[in-house]
Amino acid sequence: MSKYHHRWHEGSNIDLTVGKVVCVGKNYADHVKEMERVFSDSSAPELKEKQAVLFLKPNTAVCNANQNIPISHLTHLGELHNELEIALLIGESLDRRSKNHIDAIIGIGLALDLTLREVQADLKNRGLPWERSKAFDGSCPLSGFIPFSSSQTTLELDNLDLELTINEQVRQRGNSSMMLTPIEPLLVEITTLFSLEPGDIVLTGTPAGVGPLHAGDVINATLNQQTLIDASKFT
Ligand code: ZN
């Protein structure tokens, strides 16, 4: 497998060091309800307290979503779930003093926040951090990025469609308008605690439709009907 570089959707490499990935949990109401229903998970205090659930993945979690994605070595750890998410590529430093957070976004893409669901449930039950379930090597396949600047009008951050199909069946479909914490306030909240550097990625949460992945599954994913992950295979 070739070394990962951030890259534009049309194929050229982006000259930025691959940084950390800052993620938000439970940012779509339909997914929060799904977790309560299917996994008896009632840990959603942020719906009342309006505080986003934040966690990190290291840069070793990042891989190319348009190459084969190895998962067979994880099967002994229980179910591995898809979480399709809108990914923001950060191109300028942001910290707690920053204004104009949207100006720091230079690309919009798609990510899979791969999650070992049974490991995560066990960690939650025991009140432990989530890294073993979400921050492992290869847990963040990323698509190429569509260039973004705050002055353009083709991509509206609060009206982005995302869709994941597995073996040609739709598994997840959502729109960024369904986010509990939309993209701009999410960046503000993240940067009160975590500075963002050029090359960092922000994942913005998953809509409903998480479920198990198996070796041999083939996925496609679109952002505003544009294919960003094209027939990638889990191996
Ligand atoms: Zn997620």
Side-chain angles (χ1 to χ4, degrees):
M1 198 180 299
S2 61
K3 185 168 162 34
Y4 176 85
H5 295 277
H6 290 318
R7 67 216 172 279
W8 298 116
H9 170 56
E10 37 62 29
S12 57
N13 281 348
I14 300 171
D15 190 20
L16 287 176
T17 304
V18 181
K20 65 185 175 291
V21 185
V22 183
C23 310
V24 57
K26 299 186 171 179
N27 201 25
Y28 287 75
D30 62 344
H31 172 60
V32 174
K33 293 208 182 78
E34 161 182 76
M35 289 297 286
E36 288 170 356
R37 193 177 64 244
V38 184
F39 302 98
S40 311
D41 179 347
S42 55
S43 59
E46 73 281 7
L47 287 180
K48 287 173 229 133
E49 295 171 16
K50 294 268 185 276
Q51 188 182 55
V53 177
L54 301 179
F55 61 97
L56 302 180
K57 293 179 189 254
N59 61 358
T60 44
V62 173
C63 63
N64 185 341
N66 280 299
Q67 294 177 342
N68 286 346
I69 302 169
I71 61 169
S72 301
H73 61 293
L74 299 167
T75 42
H76 66 291
L77 296 170
E79 286 189 0
L80 178 70
H81 280 197
N82 57 281
E83 295 192 1
L84 181 70
E85 313 205 358
I86 294 167
L88 312 175
L89 174 61
I90 301 299
E92 289 174 30
S93 298
L94 287 174
D95 65 22
R96 65 181 184 277
R97 291 171 293 269
S98 299
K99 311 269 186 283
N100 303 329
H101 293 72
I102 298 302
D103 293 342
I105 302 171
I106 60 165
I108 312 275
L110 292 171
L112 292 170
D113 168 19
L114 295 181
T115 302
L116 287 161
R117 191 66 70 198
E118 294 167 38
V119 173
Q120 185 194 31
D122 177 57
L123 294 169
K124 282 180 176 171
N125 283 338
R126 295 192 287 141
L128 296 174
W130 294 2
E131 278 87 346
R132 297 180 71 99
S133 65
K134 280 183 173 283
F136 53 87
D137 289 354
S139 60
C140 189
L142 281 174
S143 75
F145 290 90
I146 299 171
F148 176 83
S149 78
S150 51
S151 58
Q152 58 85 54
T153 53
T154 50
L155 290 173
E156 287 176 64
L157 291 180
D158 293 330
N159 185 22
L160 297 170
D161 286 316
L162 66 165
E163 182 178 287
L164 175 71
T165 63
I166 301 186
N167 304 327
E168 300 183 355
Q169 304 283 323
V170 175
R171 178 75 73 91
Q172 293 190 273
R173 186 180 277 156
N175 182 283
S176 60
S177 62
M178 299 156 67
M179 289 180 186
L180 298 171
T181 306
I183 286 174
E184 185 164 24
L186 179 63
L187 285 178
V188 172
E189 181 158 353
I190 286 170
T191 53
T192 61
L193 287 168
F194 307 116
S195 296
L196 294 173
E197 297 293 335
D200 285 351
I201 298 289
V202 173
L203 300 195
T204 53
T206 193
V210 302
L213 295 163
H214 303 101
D217 285 346
V218 174
I219 62 165
N220 281 73
T222 60
L223 181 73
N224 282 359
Q225 291 74 51
Q226 185 173 357
T227 297
L228 296 191
I229 301 175
D230 190 3
S232 281
K233 191 171 184 184
F234 290 95
T235 59

